[in-house]
Amino acid sequence: MYCNLLKLPTEIHLKIIEELIRDEDIETHTNDLRKLDDDHSENDDEPIKIYHDLINWSCTCSHFRNLLAPNIFKTTKLVNNEKSGFSLNAVAKSPYNVHIKELHFIGSALGIDHSEGPTFLDPEWILPFSVDALLCSLQRFPSLEKLSIKFDHELEILDVWEELEFAGALETPGETLEAESSRVLRALMFRTYSVLTHNKSPHFKHLEIRQLIWREVSAFSHAAFHDFLGHFERFTLSIYGKDLRGGWMSGQFHDYVELMEKLDEHFFNHLASVTILSIKAPRAGPLGLFGRQHTLLCLKADQMPMLTTLHLDGTFASPKLIDFVVGHKHSLEELILRNCYVSPVHSRFLSDVYWSHLFNSLYFACPTQLRHLELVVSDAALPSKRQSTDEGNEWVCTTPRENRGRMLFLYVHLETRKGDLV
């Protein structure tokens, strides 16, 4: 039967919108799981929610565009090209700018990894003026709550065998500046982070850096960038890592180790207002284990004095982590450890910490605000009853009474040659 959609009550329209959002969320989640199964990818963060069905519906008439605007513009994506910049500038000048709550900037080298000549040195060629104008004046989106930054890294990482070394001299500050004047992606990263510091006292309170590439960025050392970080109440950081040909893991490269061990200088030391901290490290380069070609977790007890919530994924429960948690015993309310590990005592580069050390330290510290402690291991399956594993790698059974000697949490160590978790 024919039905004029415009004549339906607004309540019905809102119910249809709700169902379309739910269906797209389910489809996105299903596709993410399928991709995870097919690619064995560990670098996918929470997907950027763009509701294409709603966008198509909004194009039918002004009534539906106004009705759908809060859902359409809530999460907006910006890339470093003129078309994207002009489009978002138009939104910034319109009444719809108040609906933008999350802005996701994705920088890409656009298929060009190397470039020479004076054209390359033109800042507008790296970051078009229309995009630059948006990133340096984010107050044009008065309801903005979150800014997310991500760079397309595949072209940079593919050169790993030619440019990254397992041993030898690391990149000097001079070499970093040279790379930022001769390589497209390096120049783009420097330009983007520099432009963002023009936002004095940013009104949005959540900064997210997605899939941080293990390449030094000179802007990370600038006082203006450190001042910029000091305004945020929530900071989310995920790190790019993978199996890089032949089974060599990202964490075995000096460039990775060096940058990860500067996270305090670049970020953590300057997050004075942060109350929520989230860090996700890849399985190919977990943080927190001491030793050669291992990467420390650069958290210190005197950082982030207002911290109430700590989410960690892909880290070791190291002494530094315990000191950090205990150091925040009067402010920390929520601690979530997902896919986090402890190194067994038979490892060559042991952390000298059992899970019991973490729990005992929390108990004796008597945290006054802690109300939620969660430990989740989702990237490994429980062994079957017939499976034979080393004592350090055993899991508790679904019926622990069968074997009370089994360990409740996974103990692992890093394979010393290629850096895999074993």
Side-chain angles (χ1 to χ4, degrees):
M1 181 179 67
Y2 171 78
C3 177
N4 189 332
L5 195 58
L6 279 170
K7 293 182 178 180
L8 291 175
T10 301
E11 291 79 3
I12 300 298
H13 291 156
L14 295 176
K15 184 63 177 177
I16 295 173
I17 293 172
E18 181 182 322
E19 290 301 314
L20 287 173
I21 290 175
R22 186 181 66 85
D23 288 345
E24 287 209 40
D25 284 343
I26 292 174
E27 183 178 356
T28 300
H29 180 67
T30 302
N31 290 337
D32 288 343
L33 290 178
R34 186 178 298 115
K35 181 179 180 182
L36 190 64
D37 290 338
D38 293 343
D39 301 340
H40 303 289
S41 173
E42 59 170 316
N43 292 292
D44 292 327
D45 292 314
E46 188 73 18
I48 302 174
K49 293 183 178 180
I50 306 295
Y51 298 110
H52 300 286
D53 287 343
L54 299 186
I55 293 174
N56 293 336
W57 187 8
S58 73
C59 294
T60 57
C61 67
S62 59
H63 172 77
F64 286 131
R65 185 169 182 80
N66 292 330
L67 183 65
L68 293 162
N71 299 104
I72 292 174
F73 294 106
K74 178 181 179 181
T75 302
T76 302
K77 183 169 68 173
L78 173 67
V79 297
N80 59 309
N81 61 48
E82 287 285 2
K83 180 180 179 181
S84 180
F86 281 130
S87 177
L88 192 54
N89 265 292
V91 175
K93 296 174 183 177
S94 76
Y96 300 123
N97 68 338
V98 298
H99 298 304
I100 295 180
K101 302 293 183 66
E102 296 185 12
L103 178 60
H104 294 260
F105 174 75
I106 301 178
S108 171
L110 301 177
I112 305 173
D113 202 31
H114 295 81
S115 183
E116 298 178 355
T119 304
F120 173 75
L121 301 178
D122 182 359
E124 189 171 345
W125 185 77
I126 295 296
L127 195 67
F129 176 77
S130 60
V131 179
D132 185 302
L134 288 165
L135 292 179
C136 72
S137 56
L138 292 171
Q139 70 273 12
R140 298 171 68 186
F141 307 107
S143 302
L144 187 66
E145 298 172 356
K146 174 183 176 181
L147 173 66
S148 174
I149 305 293
K150 181 180 179 180
F151 293 94
D152 178 14
H153 44 66
E154 288 300 330
L155 292 172
E156 187 78 16
I157 298 299
L158 283 176
D159 290 335
V160 68
W161 291 107
E162 289 75 21
E163 297 192 3
L164 299 182
E165 299 291 341
F166 294 103
L170 300 171
E171 187 175 82
T172 65
E175 291 170 338
T176 298
L177 294 175
E178 181 180 353
E180 291 174 346
S181 65
S182 61
R183 295 185 65 85
V184 173
L185 188 59
R186 301 292 292 276
L188 176 59
M189 291 193 292
F190 167 75
R191 179 66 181 164
T192 300
Y193 287 113
S194 298
V195 165
L196 286 174
T197 63
H198 293 174
N199 294 278
K200 305 301 181 182
S201 301
H203 62 290
F204 58 97
K205 297 304 179 183
H206 184 184
L207 177 64
E208 178 184 41
I209 298 178
R210 296 163 66 100
Q211 300 304 306
L212 176 70
I213 307 170
W214 17 292
R215 286 290 201 266
E216 188 65 72
V217 180
S218 61
F220 289 163
S221 301
H222 293 176
F225 182 70
H226 297 162
D227 291 340
F228 176 68
L229 292 175
H231 293 280
F232 296 106
E233 297 176 2
R234 182 170 184 177
F235 182 70
T236 302
L237 174 67
S238 63
I239 302 159
Y240 179 77
K242 64 183 296 186
D243 181 338
L244 296 167
R245 302 179 187 175
W248 292 96
M249 300 298 164
S250 304
Q252 290 299 96
F253 291 89
H254 276 299
D255 296 64
Y256 183 93
V257 175
E258 180 189 32
L259 185 60
M260 295 307 105
E261 294 187 352
K262 287 184 177 179
L263 292 180
D264 53 350
E265 299 175 17
H266 291 339
F267 303 108
F268 301 152
N269 289 348
H270 315 288
L271 301 174
S273 301
V274 158
T275 60
I276 302 175
L277 175 66
S278 301
I279 304 172
K280 181 180 180 182
R283 184 181 174 87
L287 306 180
L289 199 59
F290 176 78
R292 183 178 61 85
Q293 291 303 93
H294 292 149
T295 311
L296 295 176
L297 180 63
C298 297
L299 292 176
K300 302 172 185 175
D302 59 350
Q303 297 165 339
M304 295 162 269
M306 302 171 65
L307 188 70
T308 62
T309 303
L310 177 61
H311 295 187
L312 296 178
D313 191 330
T315 67
F316 281 90
S318 63
K320 283 183 174 290
L321 174 59
I322 293 177
D323 291 343
F324 179 78
V325 171
V326 171
H328 292 79
K329 63 181 181 180
H330 295 307
S331 65
L332 195 64
E333 300 175 5
E334 183 175 295
L335 174 61
I336 297 179
L337 304 179
R338 181 177 295 273
N339 299 325
C340 293
Y341 317 101
V342 163
S343 179
V345 293
H346 59 263
S347 171
R348 288 180 60 194
F349 306 106
L350 58 139
S351 61
D352 259 350
V353 172
Y354 289 94
W355 283 107
S356 60
H357 293 155
L358 172 62
F359 301 139
N360 286 337
S361 297
L362 280 173
Y363 176 78
F364 289 112
C366 297
T368 57
Q369 305 297 322
L370 189 64
R371 55 178 175 77
H372 183 87
L373 173 61
E374 181 178 341
L375 287 89
V376 181
V377 179
S378 61
D379 66 352
L382 290 172
S384 65
K385 293 181 181 179
R386 297 180 181 179
Q387 183 174 348
S388 176
T389 60
D390 293 337
E391 182 181 355
N393 290 337
E394 289 190 1
W395 292 74
V396 66
C397 298
T398 54
T399 55
R401 294 176 184 175
E402 296 179 4
N403 185 349
R404 294 181 179 273
R406 284 183 177 241
M407 296 181 181
L408 181 58
F409 303 106
L410 184 63
Y411 284 73
V412 301
H413 68 277
L414 288 176
E415 191 269 329
T416 56
R417 183 168 178 265
K418 294 187 175 182
D420 198 7
L421 286 172
V422 294

